[in-house]
Every structure is written in structure tokens, then in C-alpha cells.
Amino acid sequence: MTTSRFDLQDLKRRFWRISRVPVATLVVLGAVAFAGAIAGAWFAREGTVSGIFATINTWQQNPPVWLQVPATSKMYLLVPTIALVSVALAAIKISPQPQKWSRAVVVAIVLALTIRYVLWRSLATLNLTDPLNGIFSLGLFFLEMLLVFNTSIQLYLMLRMKDRRREADRMAVAVEAGNFTPPVDIFIPTYNEPAFILRRTVIGCQALDYANKKVYLLDDTKRPEIKLLAKELGCEYITRPDNIHAKAGNINHATGLTNGELIVVFDADFIPTKNFLTRTVGFFQNPEIALVQTPQSFYNHDPHLP
């Protein structure tokens, strides 16, 4: 067999593209292929696979007593849950401002209740009487488990939170004294948020106690009224010819058109406190810090208030 130089180069390019496929993608594709093979064998009534699912279905019909849903005659099954929730509420009452110990107690209780739910969901609720019902039941179950897994990761991250208020106090001294004031570009990406919401966000950003800043309204829908709003409020207006990669693409596009040393990104419905920049910019005096993320709070306007 003979191969031209062009063919070899083409093969190399194809191999390079394949080799650059993320590992996570390969894992997901492998899992889907494996699940498809099992489902195919189940539909084909392959003896071993069908026997395994029949056994699991038998377990589903007779779950352990401690996994059964509490009924009038089994109200005692609610006792552990009530006890755990009571402990969590007590921890919150004792420590209104989350501390390391109280956060660990609440997260541990939530994880315990989550594990209890996952065990009940996996051992007592699946419908595996036949392949068709089984595929839909298992599909819904695994989608739900993905959500549970994502939530569990958030709980883990909560345990790693650190109180950096004292560090912020120390770092803010140089900013307030004017010894460390790098130029800051404030990005407000928007797609279809109403002008009255953007108005409050822009005004809030302009009111920040930091002189060396510039506010940019990044409009991904090219709306004339938003351009007029930016002109009225005296902030910069940036748009782009397409919407590739949505919000991330909008921010990346604006990054190439601005030249601030630091970039702050606020969602279109955020209103920062006046000391936001003086409390965060100081952290960048440490050359090893490239990103600072802060807690956020949401508010809902009460229509009954004036």
C-alpha cells in the first residue's frame, strides 16, 4: 500500500483532532455506548441481562422497611427526618451568621437526607417490569441523579468557604488611600432585560466609590433603546455582529475592545454596594490572585409597598 505525503498529513490532522477530544466527552460517550449495549441486550431478551433486571425488579417490589414511604401505621419512619431537621434549625438559630461548625452541621444533615432520598429512589421506585418501561424509568432516574450530584458539589463548595472580611479590611487600606487604584472596566452583559432593570444596575455601578473605573453596557440584542439608555446615563455601549457563545462570547468580545487592568462583571439585574470595588480590588495586590468571587444577594420588590 502506498500513501502520498498529502494523505499522511491529512491522517495526522484527523488523529490530532480526535486526540484533542476532552476526556469527559469520551467518558460520557463510553457510558452512553455501554448503556445502549445493556438496553439492546435487555430488549433482545438476553438471558443473563434479563435475569439481572428481573432480580432488581423483585428488590424494587420489596424494599427494606426503613426505605418505605411513611404511612399512618408507619409514622415512626418520619422520626429520623424530624430529628435531623430540628438539629439543622437549632444550628441556624444558634449561629445566625454561618460559622464553620454550623455550616458543617447543616451540610452534613442535608447530605444525610439526600443519601436517604437516593437510596429510596433507587431501591423502591424504579419500574423494571419490562424493557420499555425500564428504559424510561432508568433514564428519568439518571437525569435526576445528575441534578442531585450537581447539588452535592455545591454543598461541598460551601464547606470550603472562608471568611475573608478581615483580609478585605487589610487589603482595602491601600485602595482607600489611593496607593493602589488600577483601572477597572465594569461589564454589564445584557440580552433581553428591560431598560428599567438595566438603568438601576448602571446607576449602581456608576455610584461605586472608586474613581478609576469605566462602565460598559454590553448589549447582545442591538436594541436602540438600550443604546439611548447608555448615552443618557453616560456609560459606554458595546454590541457585536453575532451572538456566538452567548454571554461568554459577549464578554470575550468586549475584552478585546477595552484595556482596563481589571474586569468586573455584573449581571443585568445586579446592584452592587458602594464599597464593592474598595473591598475587592485590594486583593489583586497579591500577584498570585487572578480572580475574586463575592457572595451575592437577591431582592424581590414588594408590590404592596409604596
Side-chain angles (χ1 to χ4, degrees):
M1 182 180 68
T2 59
T3 305
S4 68
R5 183 185 301 273
F6 175 79
D7 292 336
L8 286 174
Q9 292 176 347
D10 185 57
L11 288 173
K12 288 180 180 178
R13 284 195 296 269
R14 292 185 181 183
F15 175 77
W16 177 246
R17 284 197 296 268
I18 294 173
S19 64
R20 293 180 63 185
V21 174
V23 175
T25 301
L26 294 177
V27 171
V28 171
L29 291 176
V32 171
F34 178 75
I38 296 297
W42 193 12
F43 272 101
R45 304 292 182 183
E46 198 280 328
T48 302
V49 175
S50 296
I52 292 174
F53 279 104
T55 301
I56 297 175
N57 186 56
T58 301
W59 295 343
Q60 294 286 322
Q61 304 305 319
N62 301 282
V65 174
W66 56 274
L67 276 182
Q68 295 178 11
V69 177
T72 305
S73 59
K74 299 177 181 179
M75 291 302 293
Y76 61 88
L77 294 175
L78 281 175
V79 172
T81 300
I82 294 174
L84 290 175
V85 172
S86 299
V87 172
L89 292 175
I92 294 172
K93 187 71 174 178
I94 296 172
S95 177
Q97 184 67 33
Q99 300 179 26
K100 190 173 183 179
W101 71 267
S102 59
R103 185 179 290 113
V105 168
V106 173
V107 169
I109 290 174
V110 172
L111 284 176
L113 294 174
T114 301
I115 292 171
R116 165 66 168 80
Y117 173 78
V118 170
L119 289 174
W120 169 76
R121 186 72 175 83
S122 59
L123 298 177
T125 66
L126 300 179
N127 181 3
L128 305 178
T129 54
D130 58 78
L132 185 60
N133 283 316
I135 292 299
F136 281 102
S137 182
L138 288 171
L140 180 61
F141 170 74
F142 285 118
L143 287 175
E144 188 175 351
M145 290 305 103
L146 284 176
L147 296 176
V148 171
F149 177 72
N150 180 64
T151 303
S152 300
I153 292 177
Q154 299 300 320
L155 292 175
Y156 169 74
L157 294 177
M158 285 180 60
L159 288 176
R160 295 176 59 86
M161 290 179 59
K162 295 181 179 180
D163 187 348
R164 298 188 181 275
R165 284 176 294 180
R166 291 184 180 179
E167 190 176 352
D169 292 337
R170 188 175 68 255
M171 294 293 189
V173 172
V175 179
E176 293 172 346
N179 298 324
F180 183 76
T181 57
V184 175
D185 291 333
I186 301 175
F187 290 173
I188 307 173
T190 176
Y191 184 73
N192 58 4
E193 290 82 6
F196 76 91
I197 290 180
L198 291 168
R199 175 183 294 273
R200 293 182 295 186
T201 303
V202 172
I203 292 174
C205 291
Q206 290 174 327
L208 288 170
D209 290 332
Y210 193 86
N212 198 9
K213 66 180 185 295
K214 185 174 289 187
V215 181
Y216 292 87
L217 196 52
L218 314 182
D219 184 16
D220 231 6
T221 46
K222 298 178 283 293
R223 292 170 289 171
E225 65 273 21
I226 302 304
K227 186 175 183 178
L228 289 174
L229 175 67
K231 183 178 180 181
E232 174 192 345
L233 297 178
C235 69
E236 304 295 325
Y237 177 83
I238 295 179
T239 187
R240 57 182 179 146
D242 53 51
N243 301 112
I244 296 177
H245 303 308
K247 183 177 179 179
N250 192 7
I251 294 173
N252 287 338
H253 175 261
T255 301
L257 301 177
T258 58
N259 52 18
E261 290 185 29
L262 301 177
I263 294 175
V264 179
V265 180
F266 290 115
D267 281 350
D269 56 350
F270 278 22
I271 302 178
T273 57
K274 293 187 66 176
N275 64 347
F276 178 86
L277 289 179
T278 55
R279 298 283 292 175
T280 55
V281 168
F283 282 97
F284 293 96
Q285 296 173 84
N286 183 346
E288 296 184 356
I289 292 180
L291 174 69
V292 173
Q293 183 177 5
T294 65
Q296 61 190 48
S297 300
F298 298 92
Y299 69 90
N300 294 312
H301 177 67
D302 188 343
H304 300 293
L305 295 177

